[in-house]
Amino acid sequence: MKSGDYMEKWLEWAMEIQSIAQIGLTYSKDVFDTERYERLREIAAEMLAEQSGMDLERVKTLFCNETGYQTPKIDTRAAVFKDNKILLVHEKNGKWALPGGWCDVLESVKSNTVKEVKEETGMDARAVRLIAVQDRNKHNLPAYAYGICKIFVLCDVIGGAFTENSETTEIKYFSYDEIPNNLAGEKTNKKQIEMCFRAAADKNWQVQFD
């Protein structure tokens, strides 16, 4: 087994153990079973801390902080084009990304995408069509210890203007050949941006999904 394959495998094991433990803690009524599931959750966190070098308590905070039946989180990303250029936001950490974020409670994929564009760019957007639904851990690094569905949506801008906010310092349109190198790769990588360019240019684009 290759080193990269092993790294993915141990993460899968840790994620599955944590998921089983979380479900067990949700539905188990037996105090002894609850103790066993708590220990399973600790083992999953210890595996992740050992392999990643992260502090165990931080891993527990990030990895073992949910209750209920575990399902993937939803992350929406807007691909906004103008004159064959794509809109990226410049984040506080100095990196560029497609506008977007977690899908909030009471928001649909469509409404959340529009909301994120407004919050991060000041622009009023209209969601046009889906580009792709991706399993984040198959496309972005570093791998996360929980599942995320990344949903890319082609959008038009219908108004608004940029104002600096708590998340971004500026916005800019980039051509295909101008895609910056300092991308926030954990959120948006170059292949994903290139995919958005292809989708915008193809009226018969077929939604890609994992």
Side-chain angles (χ1 to χ4, degrees), residues 3-141:
S3 176
D5 294 337
Y6 172 74
M7 292 292 285
E8 292 182 3
K9 200 64 185 176
W10 71 254
L11 181 60
E12 289 178 6
W13 289 329
M15 290 174 66
E16 185 172 1
I17 292 171
Q18 199 291 132
S19 177
I20 293 170
Q22 183 172 315
I23 294 169
L25 288 169
T26 300
Y27 296 110
S28 178
K29 304 300 182 182
D30 184 271
V31 63
F32 298 107
D33 283 343
T34 298
E35 290 178 355
R36 295 184 184 101
Y37 287 126
E38 288 283 8
R39 180 55 189 144
L40 278 176
R41 206 173 204 192
E42 289 179 359
I43 290 171
E46 289 166 4
M47 288 173 63
L48 188 60
E50 178 69 23
Q51 292 289 347
S52 68
M54 292 176 61
D55 178 75
L56 178 58
E57 292 306 314
R58 175 167 172 75
V59 170
K60 287 182 178 180
T61 299
L62 295 173
F63 190 36
C64 305
N65 64 343
E66 296 187 357
T67 59
Y69 194 90
Q70 188 169 33
T71 59
K73 298 177 182 293
I74 295 177
D75 172 60
T76 64
R77 293 288 151 180
V80 180
F81 284 87
K82 178 181 178 181
D83 299 327
N84 296 319
K85 293 185 177 183
I86 196 167
L87 180 67
L88 299 182
V89 296
H90 192 247
E91 300 183 334
K92 296 285 187 177
N93 62 7
K95 296 184 179 182
W96 295 91
L98 291 172
W102 297 126
C103 192
D104 290 334
V105 174
L106 303 181
E107 299 287 352
S108 66
V109 168
K110 183 177 182 179
S111 66
N112 196 75
T113 304
V114 171
K115 178 184 70 68
E116 288 290 330
V117 172
K118 184 64 175 179
E119 290 178 352
E120 296 186 3
T121 73
M123 312 296 280
D124 299 311
R126 178 175 67 91
V128 178
R129 54 189 168 93
L130 284 178
I131 296 174
V133 180
Q134 294 185 341
D135 178 346
R136 184 207 169 275
N137 277 351
K138 292 182 179 179
H139 299 271
N140 299 83
L141 293 174

